[in-house]
C-alpha cells in the first residue's frame, strides 16, 4: 500500500472510530487515556496494511483497540505491582466526583472479569450486537449471549456486595 493511500485510509478509519477508541482508552486507562489512545492509533496505523476486509472495518478496529488496551493494561498492572510498596507509603486519599466514583466502581468490576468477559462487556456497552461480538471474538452468538447473561447476573450480585 502506498504511503498516501495508507494515510487516506488511516484518516478515514480514525474519523469513523475515534470516539470508540477514546471510550476504550478511558475505560482501560482512566487518567492515562491519552497515552493509551496514542498506542491504539499507532497500532491501527501499523496494522492497517494487513487489513484485508474479511470483517467489517469497525469490527477489525474494535479488535485492534481491545487487544492494544489489554496489552497496555497488563503492562500497567505489572508496573503497578512493582511499585506497589512505594505507592502504599505515599498514597493520599483524594475526593472524587460522582462520575469518577462511578468509573472507578466500573473499573473495579471490570478487573474482576477475565479478559474475554471484559471485551464482551465493553463491546456490548458500545452497542455491538451478539453477532458482531461473536465475529470479533471468533466464537458463536450463543456463547456471547450466554456470557452476557452471566455478566448481568455477576454484576447484579457484585453491586449488592460492593455498590
Amino acid at each position: 500500500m502506498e504511503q498516501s493511500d495508507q494515510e487516506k485510509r488511516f484518516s478515514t478509519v480514525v474519523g469513523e472510530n475515534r470516539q470508540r477508541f477514546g471510550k476504550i482508552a478511558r475505560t482501560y486507562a482512566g487518567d492515562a487515556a491519552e497515552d493509551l489512545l496514542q498506542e491504539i492509533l499507532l497500532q491501527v496505523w501499523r496494522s492497517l496494511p494487513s487489513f484485508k476486509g474479511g470483517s467489517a472495518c469497525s469490527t477489525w478496529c474494535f479488535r485492534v483497540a481491545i487487544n492494544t488496551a489489554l496489552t497496555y493494561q497488563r503492562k500497567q498492572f505489572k508496573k503497578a505491582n512493582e511499585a506497589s510498596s512505594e505507592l502504599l507509603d505515599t498514597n493520599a486519599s483524594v475526593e472524587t466526583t460522582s462520575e469518577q466514583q462511578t468509573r472507578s466502581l466500573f473499573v473495579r468490576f471490570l478487573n474482576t472479569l477475565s479478559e474475554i468477559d471484559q471485551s464482551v462487556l465493553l463491546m456490548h456497552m458500545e452497542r455491538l450486537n451478539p453477532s458482531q461480538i461473536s465475529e470479533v471474538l471468533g466464537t458463536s452468538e450463543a456463547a456471547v449471549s450466554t456470557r452476557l447473561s452471566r455478566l448481568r447476573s455477576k454484576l447484579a450480585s457484585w453491586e449488592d456486595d460492593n455498590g
Side-chain angles (χ1 to χ4, degrees):
M1 180 181 303
E2 274 187 46
Q3 183 72 16
S4 63
D5 289 342
Q6 183 174 350
E7 288 172 2
K8 289 176 189 173
R9 195 169 175 198
F10 178 76
S11 182
T12 300
V13 166
V14 170
E16 293 171 355
N17 294 282
R18 188 168 188 88
Q19 200 169 17
R20 176 175 287 156
F21 294 155
K23 286 180 183 178
I24 292 169
R26 285 188 301 278
T27 300
Y28 277 88
D31 293 337
E34 275 301 311
D35 292 340
L36 177 54
L37 180 58
Q38 292 301 316
E39 290 289 325
I40 290 170
L41 294 174
L42 179 62
Q43 192 57 44
V44 168
W45 172 261
R46 287 178 179 161
S47 302
L48 196 55
S50 66
F51 176 62
K52 304 297 182 210
S55 62
C57 186
S58 60
T59 302
W60 176 83
C61 285
F62 201 93
R63 184 179 299 174
V64 170
I66 289 291
N67 288 339
T68 304
L70 290 171
T71 300
Y72 179 88
Q73 192 176 49
R74 279 191 292 269
K75 287 179 187 175
Q76 296 307 309
F77 185 72
K78 184 177 178 183
K79 286 180 187 177
N81 281 340
E82 291 171 355
S84 63
S85 62
E86 292 174 27
L87 291 176
L88 288 174
D89 294 337
T90 60
N91 200 8
S93 87
V94 177
E95 288 188 24
T96 61
T97 65
S98 177
E99 186 176 279
Q100 289 170 326
Q101 289 171 340
T102 301
R103 185 180 68 215
S104 175
L105 192 61
F106 177 72
V107 169
R108 281 183 31 224
F109 175 70
L110 267 181
N111 288 334
T112 67
L113 303 176
S114 67
E115 287 181 3
I116 189 91
D117 284 344
Q118 289 177 2
S119 298
V120 168
L121 180 59
L122 290 172
M123 286 185 271
H124 177 69
M125 291 176 65
E126 283 289 319
R127 293 183 168 66
L128 271 70
N129 63 40
S131 174
Q132 293 167 316
I133 296 171
S134 69
E135 184 179 342
V136 169
L137 298 176
T139 187
S140 70
E141 285 183 56
V144 170
S145 295
T146 299
R147 280 190 185 274
L148 285 170
S149 178
R150 289 179 183 159
L151 284 168
R152 284 183 195 102
S153 296
K154 184 172 184 171
L155 178 58
S157 66
W158 191 85
E159 282 180 322
D160 290 342
D161 296 339
N162 298 283

